[in-house]
Amino acid sequence: MPALVNSHGEPTGAVYGVANMLRRLLADYEPSHVAVIFDAKGKTFRDDIYPEYKAHRPPMPSELAGQIEPIHAVVQAMGIPMLQVEGVEADDVIGTLARRATERGMSTLVSTGDKDLAQLVDGHVTLVNTMTDTLFDRDAVVDKSGVPPERIVQFLALVGDTVDNIPGVPGVGPKTAAKWLQQYGSLDNLVARAGEIAGKVGDNLRASLTQLPMARELATVRCDVALEVTPEGLQRRAPDVARLKELYQKLEFKTWLAELGGATNAPAPVATSETTDASRYETVMDDAALDRWIERLRKAGEFAFDTETTDLDGQRAEIVGVSFTDKSGDAAYVPLSHRYPDAPVQLDREHALRKLKPLLEDESIGKIGQNIKYDMIVLANHGIALRGLRYDTMLESYVLDSTASRHDMDSLALKYLGYKTLKYEDVAGKGKNQINFCEVLIEKAAAYAAEDADITLRLHEHLWPRLTATPSLEKLFREIEMPLVPVLARMESHGVHIDATLLRAQSGEIARRLVELEQEAHRLAEQPFNIASPKQIQEILFDKLKLPVIKKTPTGQPSTAEEVLQELAHDYPLPELILEHRGLTKLKSTYADKLPEAINPRTGRVHTSYHQAVAATGRLSSTDPNLQNIPVRTSEGRRIRQAFIAEPGNKIVSADYSQIELRIMAHLSRDEGLIKAFAAKQDIHRATAAEVFGTTPDQVSDDMRRAAKAINFGLIYGMSAFGLARQLKIDRSSAQKYVELYFSRYPG
């Protein structure tokens, strides 16, 4: 499920994933009768039969446990009957409902990824796996497992189930189990003739004969559970729209909330997406109107404004128009360079900007913007040094909730105001038919641009009281985030100097190495293939070379993702070659080839964009191009870094804090162990490894230190045992022990 959280830091990904699958199922199949079945709390009859049943399963991850109640609430609000029956598992309730539906002549579709439920399949019951989008009827079950549905329980008894801790016959996998059942017809016949099975596997079968009946019973889905409802009673109801709105608003599922008509407490919108209230939004077409607005804004002492431009790249953008407002619902747009057939006469751009310049450069008059850094850079292109930056609604939202995924105006308007804004595509078109903003009809552009200024002001009026309610956040906003805006604007405008000749030479070297890697890969595969094609890689690795399938894609195909190839590379040379080829291809295309192309012809330098409102931890991020993630671990990556050079007479200086987050955590927590390690100037990861693994620092291995580093940085950012297990590639119970050990050593 997606790793989503709402603005309160509560995980919501599992709720979203379950609701999304249910929405799709309802849309695809339009059932008249439906139910969602959950396991009830407590033990079941299987625990009475075998106390070790599911004993090896680690506890539910805490971030999932907290989402169970919201999942139940969303399911019920969607109008779907929900069942939980004590003493049995959800599978048994599903089996019973399917059996009773069949007796009534109804067809049943079971949505599941559980292989055990294949035993229910018959002429009336079909399985669907929404993760892989595949249907399983009788023929599909036979194709998948090698046995028909009525033999699935016998198949499971032989194979066992490590997830549920059901013992099988040691050494017997799916192929052997299917072969035996095909040969002997049934498990009973196999047991009766167990003496005929030769070798070690035969010995294992005979040694397991006493436990097979129990394994068979554990794997059998009960179809006779006493239920208070009948299949006919599970009719799909109309959704409770008010309750869904309430839940989606709390969970911050903005798109679904918009589908239902926005937030329940949404204010009445000032302007709709269809029309603009001409009496409230003004289009300024002459000097008199512009002078009137300049005087009004000067008297107001503070106003929201926005620029409309020809390009998203601030370094290349030219102003098409400006909008502003000092009062919610009342805004103006000044078109300056709209160019299309029969376009009306507009104010001369340079003339209008000269009039606006004193207002925009006046430090005493406060400016409010949404991503105001962009406007600052664009205005600088026209000789205006924007001053008086007071508020940026993007940064207000970010400081309030750095974990939110989006801080753009459209998302914030829907989230905080319940207001659906005009989108750029609404006025400029989409895809290949999209036109430049300078070609948009002025009446359309005015509605869009004036709304931008209006909504920016309304967002500020909504967000600022929330921010000032927490003095430390207000201080962070005033003293760090806002003063940083002009610094980053200058950095972006200044750009960086690169040695394009060196990069082009390296591109040629990488190209030659890529050819060598392809030839070596073809030799190992014993045939030519497209090394950049996941489908052809899949055919070579898994169909031809029979390498083990570690992970599958959502469509059920063997995955060739990077983590899969890394695991295979430990034992096989071809995956290692493919990984090297991928790494060098990315290096060539992203840096060696692209960076010279990114040089601005006007400045002769590369200009990146630095983003304040992306990383949840407060770090900056960099895009177009990304100058923060240039590789350093490989020699080729280090050579890319050598292409960043200082102008003659200057130097490039590198400075870094040492483990700053952990030092802050030591300061905030006052944990004695952590402070002691820093005071002694120890390698903190080595010290943590020694504490957690109960050894001395000089005995800590590289693997121990690597694990300790993941623990140190992971746990201070709220990583669970589940996340740690995935990062360290260990089982969850071991990860849980690491977490418990860590907090016992560093209780603060």
Side-chain angles (χ1 to χ4, degrees):
M1 299 301 179
L4 303 179
V5 290
N6 65 9
S7 58
H8 303 290
E10 299 162 340
T12 59
V15 191
Y16 183 86
V18 171
N20 199 33
M21 285 193 282
L22 287 172
R23 284 163 55 89
R24 184 175 168 190
L25 279 167
L26 296 177
D28 287 351
Y29 297 101
E30 299 182 340
S32 56
H33 297 72
V34 63
V36 174
I37 322 298
F38 289 94
D39 283 329
K41 288 183 178 178
K43 295 189 174 183
T44 72
F45 71 94
R46 290 183 179 84
D47 297 293
D48 297 332
I49 296 169
Y50 184 47
E52 295 298 305
Y53 180 66
K54 294 190 178 181
H56 293 170
R57 277 199 184 183
M60 184 184 292
S62 58
E63 62 265 45
L64 176 58
Q67 296 182 72
I68 299 300
E69 196 174 314
I71 288 173
H72 290 177
V74 168
V75 168
Q76 291 168 312
M78 289 174 77
I80 303 174
M82 192 183 96
L83 300 179
Q84 286 178 292
V85 180
E86 292 182 4
V88 295
E89 295 183 47
D91 289 2
D92 304 308
V93 180
I94 291 170
T96 301
L97 286 172
R99 173 70 56 82
R100 292 183 185 174
T102 297
E103 290 167 357
R104 289 160 170 77
M106 299 167 74
S107 293
T108 302
L109 185 70
V110 180
S111 174
T112 180
D114 190 343
K115 62 184 184 300
D116 298 7
L117 288 175
Q119 62 189 273
L120 300 178
V121 171
D122 58 22
H124 296 272
V125 180
T126 308
L127 306 188
V128 60
N129 186 338
T130 54
M131 301 299 283
T132 60
D133 207 22
T134 48
L135 284 165
F136 283 90
D137 56 13
R138 182 183 174 84
D139 291 342
V141 172
V142 174
D143 288 345
K144 177 81 174 172
S145 62
V147 297
E150 59 270 20
R151 296 279 179 272
I152 286 290
V153 172
Q154 301 167 30
F155 174 86
L156 294 172
L158 288 168
V159 172
D161 190 329
T162 54
V163 176
D164 289 346
N165 200 34
I166 297 176
V169 177
V172 172
K175 288 184 179 178
T176 302
K179 183 183 77 173
W180 282 352
L181 291 172
Q182 290 163 9
Q183 183 177 347
Y184 292 97
S186 71
L187 182 60
D188 292 337
N189 285 344
L190 173 65
V191 168
R193 297 168 63 181
E196 298 176 12
I197 309 294
K200 177 67 174 172
V201 73
D203 295 338
N204 290 345
L205 172 62
R206 289 182 284 277
S208 304
L209 292 179
T210 55
Q211 72 179 25
L212 279 175
M214 179 190 71
R216 187 173 186 169
E217 189 175 1
L218 291 172
T220 300
V221 172
R222 278 183 55 182
C223 295
D224 58 353
V225 176
L227 299 177
E228 295 178 2
V229 294
T230 62
E232 295 93 335
L234 297 171
Q235 288 183 312
R236 181 180 171 189
R237 304 184 303 272
D240 182 342
V241 175
R243 177 65 173 144
L244 274 180
K245 280 184 178 181
E246 181 187 335
L247 289 165
Y248 290 166
Q249 195 165 16
K250 183 181 179 186
L251 295 160
E252 296 171 13
F253 296 162
K254 290 172 282 208
T255 304
W256 296 348
L257 185 60
E259 286 176 8
L260 297 174
T264 50
N265 60 351
V270 175
T272 69
S273 295
E274 289 78 37
T275 61
T276 299
D277 185 344
S279 66
R280 308 289 292 278
Y281 285 173
E282 181 181 348
T283 306
V284 175
M285 301 297 287
D286 56 48
D287 270 330
L290 180 61
D291 291 342
R292 176 168 40 82
W293 269 98
I294 289 173
E295 184 59 24
R296 172 177 164 174
L297 298 175
R298 187 175 290 283
K299 284 181 179 176
E302 190 173 272
F303 64 92
F305 86 103
D306 188 41
T307 57
E308 301 303 338
T309 67
T310 56
D311 202 308
L312 289 173
D313 180 352
Q315 307 302 326
R316 303 173 193 270
E318 295 180 18
I319 289 178
V320 176
V322 293
S323 59
F324 29 68
T325 183
D326 62 342
K327 182 181 176 184
S328 295
D330 189 3
Y333 176 60
V334 188
L336 297 173
S337 58
H338 285 266
R339 298 186 293 272
Y340 53 85
D342 301 323
V345 176
Q346 303 149 64
L347 285 166
D348 176 74
R349 183 169 66 187
E350 302 314 314
H351 166 74
L353 290 176
R354 274 196 302 274
K355 285 197 163 198
L356 285 164
K357 182 179 169 92
L359 177 74
L360 294 170
E361 291 188 341
D362 191 330
E363 179 69 48
S364 68
I365 299 173
K367 317 301 188 299
I368 305 165
Q370 162 74 23
N371 189 17
I372 204 166
K373 172 165 62 72
Y374 174 81
D375 303 296
M376 191 176 196
I377 292 168
V378 170
L379 287 167
N381 295 344
H382 292 270
I384 296 174
L386 183 65
R387 297 189 183 96
L389 278 68
R390 295 285 190 276
Y391 309 102
D392 186 326
T393 49
M394 177 181 76
L395 296 179
E396 287 175 335
S397 169
Y398 175 65
V399 170
L400 275 169
D401 177 18
S402 71
T403 62
S405 57
R406 301 182 71 88
H407 302 280
D408 61 283
M409 194 185 72
D410 294 339
S411 299
L412 297 183
L414 189 60
K415 178 177 178 178
Y416 291 112
L417 307 177
Y419 182 85
K420 195 170 183 180
T421 53
L422 268 173
K423 305 287 191 295
Y424 185 82
E425 292 81 4
D426 296 335
V427 296
K430 295 182 180 179
K432 60 182 175 58
N433 296 320
Q434 190 171 83
I435 57 176
N436 194 288
F437 199 79
C438 66
E439 301 171 274
V440 174
L441 298 177
I442 286 177
E443 53 267 31
K444 279 189 172 184
Y448 171 81
E451 183 187 72
D452 278 359
D454 181 19
I455 294 299
T456 297
L457 181 60
R458 290 173 61 189
L459 280 170
H460 166 64
E461 290 171 345
H462 180 90
L463 293 170
W464 187 243
R466 295 183 60 176
L467 204 61
T468 54
T470 308
S472 59
L473 292 185
E474 181 186 354
K475 183 179 181 184
L476 172 66
F477 179 84
R478 285 193 187 278
E479 296 185 11
I480 295 180
E481 297 297 352
M482 284 309 296
L484 186 58
V485 171
V487 176
L488 295 179
R490 289 200 304 276
M491 286 168 62
E492 289 182 21
S493 296
H494 190 69
V496 293
H497 192 48
I498 64 169
D499 185 338
T501 305
L502 188 151
L503 285 170
R504 290 190 185 101
Q506 187 174 5
S507 177
E509 291 172 21
I510 293 175
R512 289 188 286 277
R513 175 61 181 151
L514 288 172
V515 171
E516 291 172 5
L517 287 170
E518 282 188 42
Q519 290 171 344
E520 179 63 10
H522 295 167
R523 186 188 66 77
L524 290 170
E526 299 178 349
Q527 70 175 73
F529 70 99
N530 182 355
I531 197 169
S533 163
K535 188 173 189 305
Q536 291 190 34
I537 290 172
Q538 180 196 106
E539 289 167 356
I540 294 294
L541 296 184
F542 305 111
D543 295 344
K544 182 175 182 181
L545 300 180
K546 306 296 183 188
L547 269 55
V549 176
I550 292 169
K551 185 179 177 183
K552 291 191 176 182
T553 66
T555 59
Q557 298 300 308
S559 171
T560 60
E562 187 160 341
E563 67 267 20
V564 170
L565 295 181
Q566 284 172 344
E567 197 164 332
L568 290 171
H570 292 306
D571 302 306
Y572 305 98
L574 184 52
E576 190 174 5
L577 271 183
I578 295 168
L579 280 172
E580 187 182 350
H581 189 277
R582 282 185 183 178
L584 287 176
T585 300
K586 183 178 179 181
L587 206 61
K588 183 178 186 297
S589 61
T590 308
Y591 300 112
D593 293 343
K594 281 281 174 64
L595 284 176
E597 294 173 7
I599 295 172
N600 186 308
R602 179 174 59 84
T603 64
R605 299 168 79 90
V606 172
H607 302 268
T608 187
S609 293
Y610 294 106
H611 304 288
Q612 283 173 267
V614 173
T617 59
R619 290 172 180 261
L620 293 174
S621 69
S622 157
T623 60
D624 305 316
N626 181 351
L627 300 184
Q628 288 187 300
N629 285 36
I630 296 164
V632 72
R633 292 179 183 173
T634 63
S635 59
E636 291 87 358
R638 288 190 290 274
R639 286 197 62 201
I640 295 285
R641 290 185 171 223
Q642 289 170 9
F644 290 83
I645 56 176
E647 297 281 8
N650 294 277
K651 290 186 184 297
I652 291 175
V653 176
S654 172
D656 187 24
Y657 284 107
S658 170
Q659 298 161 346
I660 186 65
E661 294 99 328
L662 286 174
R663 291 176 191 273
I664 291 169
M665 184 54 75
H667 171 80
L668 293 173
S669 69
R670 310 308 302 166
D671 184 273
E672 290 183 11
L674 213 49
I675 291 171
K676 184 180 173 184
F678 277 121
K681 293 183 168 52
Q682 291 179 322
D683 175 336
I684 195 69
H685 301 314
R686 193 168 292 279
T688 297
E691 290 283 350
V692 169
F693 299 112
T695 185
T696 57
D698 58 314
Q699 293 295 312
V700 170
S701 67
D702 288 345
D703 283 343
M704 286 179 181
R705 188 182 183 280
R706 181 178 62 85
K709 186 173 182 179
I711 294 167
N712 272 330
F713 286 118
L715 297 187
I716 68 170
Y717 287 122
M719 182 186 283
S720 65
F722 181 71
L724 187 63
R726 289 182 65 177
Q727 186 164 329
L728 295 180
K729 297 181 174 62
I730 57 176
D731 62 85
R732 208 190 311 162
S733 57
S734 298
Q736 184 64 43
K737 285 177 186 171
Y738 284 0
V739 173
E740 290 165 2
L741 265 170
Y742 182 85
F743 287 122
S744 70
R745 295 290 191 269
Y746 300 116

